Amino acid sequence: MDKHSKKIQQHSYKKNVKQTQFKKINNFGEAIDSIASSLCANWFVVEHTENNANTCNDDHYQPHVFDIDCNSDITALFGKIYNNLPNKIYRFWFEKPEVDDPIYGLDPDCESPHLFESIKQGGYSPHREIRHRCAMFNYMKAQRRCARPEFFELFDLEDNFLVELQILALHLWIIKTRMNYFASPVCNQLSYEIYRIMFNEFGVRFEKHISGSRHQWELDCQHACLYLAVALDEVWDSFQMDRHRHNIPHYNPYIFAKVIWSEIYLLNENISLDVLYLWSQYIFDEMIALRKVNDFEFLNGYWKFGALPTLHDRQRTKKDIVKFK
């Protein structure tokens, strides 16, 4: 057994108590030990959209929306947009991706503008195809962002498989918060699809890290990703409820620091506070930026993550910590 597999197993062991809570919260029962599709199915059931839940006047919560009601009928978007495509769509199509991915190469992580002419002529744009392509484009964006070597240097991360896996899961969670803007069942289906793609790619993308039983190794990887996602959900939901309950007028950009310390750094006491706060600020900023992407552009991949933080941002965070205290 290699050191990466041992770390994953140690991580799962440390989260034994959380696993019991994880089953209880999500009503998984025995599904926690089944295949990937069953493992995550119930977690993606959203009873209401964040549009309805976050009824506040703050600009942070106002997404850029289209002028038609497409929350439950995403195919309606394609009936009005392909007659006049914005110029920035072509810019996204011809722009070089963040990294040259070992699996996807330099393939574009957005929809070809030429597809909409085919849709116009053939009228073929089923829900399932739109959802799958949306999930695939967004997964490609997350995978490429996580392949940036700057992450490991800036955030003092260990260069190992478990960290790489959880960074990917974190970015998928950020994308999932934008998917929740669609009405049920679209938001559930989009979220489920993007995680299903990640789970199905484990054995291909991370094949060199497989040790022992392939099935058990994949389950350990799934658990590590979903523990992080559930922990982020709990923090974000708790923050929103407290904010509305106490009518807090400002946002706390550092709410994710404890989760990052616990799940990614495994409670390492040598990690400095400014790194955790910079992580939290990064997550918060990406969530807010994604909320401003309109539905059509999000479904077709016509967006990208913001610029990575720099060492200057890390120094600024140290000063912000003093002010925040």
Side-chain angles (χ1 to χ4, degrees):
M1 182 181 296
D2 59 27
K3 62 180 181 180
H4 302 303
S5 298
K6 286 182 178 179
K7 284 192 175 183
I8 292 178
Q9 291 188 358
Q10 289 171 1
H11 184 75
S12 298
Y13 177 77
K14 289 179 180 180
K15 304 301 179 182
N16 187 42
V17 175
K18 283 191 175 182
Q19 179 172 338
T20 303
Q21 184 182 20
F22 183 68
K23 292 182 181 181
K24 181 179 179 182
I25 292 175
N26 298 279
N27 195 26
F28 279 165
E30 297 300 322
I32 193 81
D33 294 320
S34 64
I35 60 175
S37 59
S38 298
L39 176 65
C40 61
N42 293 336
W43 180 55
F44 300 113
V45 176
V46 179
E47 295 181 355
H48 56 271
T49 64
E50 291 195 4
N51 278 333
N52 297 327
N54 301 326
T55 54
C56 64
N57 297 322
D58 196 294
D59 290 338
H60 285 306
Y61 277 106
Q62 303 306 319
H64 186 105
V65 295
F66 248 72
D67 59 349
I68 57 177
D69 182 12
C70 63
N71 271 334
S72 57
D73 183 15
I74 53 179
T75 60
L77 284 171
F78 295 81
K80 291 194 174 185
I81 193 63
Y82 52 61
N83 287 323
N84 186 22
L85 291 175
N87 290 331
K88 65 178 179 179
I89 286 180
Y90 294 93
R91 176 173 58 83
F92 277 109
W93 171 249
F94 290 108
E95 189 175 51
K96 184 179 178 181
E98 282 194 78
V99 298
D100 184 358
D101 187 83
I103 292 181
Y104 302 118
L106 292 175
D107 290 345
D109 48 21
C110 63
E111 190 61 83
S112 168
H114 307 294
L115 174 71
F116 301 107
E117 184 63 30
S118 300
I119 294 177
K120 183 178 179 181
Q121 295 176 358
Y124 181 74
S125 57
H127 277 271
R128 184 175 181 180
E129 179 70 12
I130 295 173
R131 293 195 306 267
H132 174 74
R133 296 178 74 84
C134 169
M136 177 57 72
F137 293 142
N138 286 305
Y139 173 78
M140 291 171 68
K141 291 178 186 294
Q143 183 63 61
R144 282 168 167 160
R145 168 49 62 100
C146 298
R148 297 280 294 273
E150 298 93 323
F151 261 114
F152 293 86
E153 179 181 357
L154 181 65
F155 293 108
D156 296 338
L157 294 166
E158 294 184 24
D159 188 4
N160 63 51
F161 166 59
L162 178 58
V163 171
E164 181 182 353
L165 185 66
Q166 290 192 303
I167 293 176
L168 175 58
L170 185 149
H171 283 83
L172 291 193
W173 181 84
I174 293 174
I175 293 172
K176 175 180 174 289
T177 64
R178 175 58 180 86
M179 291 176 168
N180 284 349
Y181 267 101
F182 293 91
S184 297
V186 175
C187 61
N188 308 325
Q189 294 164 338
L190 286 172
S191 301
Y192 174 80
E193 185 68 16
I194 193 171
Y195 275 84
R196 186 189 66 82
I197 290 173
M198 178 180 69
F199 291 164
N200 287 344
E201 268 209 1
F202 279 162
V204 178
R205 183 171 293 275
F206 304 117
E207 183 177 10
K208 64 181 180 180
H209 299 291
I210 298 178
S211 178
S213 167
R214 183 189 184 100
H215 177 70
Q216 185 59 49
W217 175 85
E218 290 183 347
L219 284 177
D220 290 340
C221 292
Q222 294 164 20
H223 291 170
C225 293
L226 291 179
Y227 288 140
L228 174 60
V230 171
L232 291 167
D233 272 343
E234 291 178 347
V235 170
W236 182 241
D237 292 342
S238 176
F239 171 70
Q240 291 182 92
M241 288 188 292
D242 290 343
R243 181 178 183 276
H244 290 295
R245 184 183 301 116
H246 303 294
N247 194 26
I248 301 175
H250 65 277
Y251 284 80
N252 178 359
Y254 306 125
I255 57 175
F256 300 108
K258 186 176 181 180
V259 173
I260 297 300
W261 183 50
S262 173
E263 301 294 329
I264 294 183
Y265 294 97
L266 301 180
L267 305 178
N268 185 348
E269 296 180 355
N270 296 322
I271 298 300
S272 60
L273 194 59
D274 59 289
V275 171
L276 300 176
Y277 279 12
L278 185 62
W279 257 120
S280 191
Q281 182 69 64
Y282 169 76
I283 297 171
F284 186 83
D285 290 345
E286 292 298 333
M287 289 174 62
I288 299 306
L290 257 180
R291 290 168 187 268
K292 297 178 182 179
V293 177
N294 69 46
D295 292 334
F296 176 79
E297 293 172 359
F298 179 77
L299 287 171
N300 292 284
Y302 300 131
W303 66 274
K304 61 181 180 179
F305 286 106
L308 281 175
T310 63
L311 292 176
H312 174 73
D313 294 321
R314 183 168 170 177
Q315 293 297 325
R316 176 182 50 79
T317 303
K318 290 183 178 180
K319 299 178 181 178
D320 292 342
I321 292 174
V322 177
K323 296 179 181 178
F324 184 72
K325 289 181 177 179

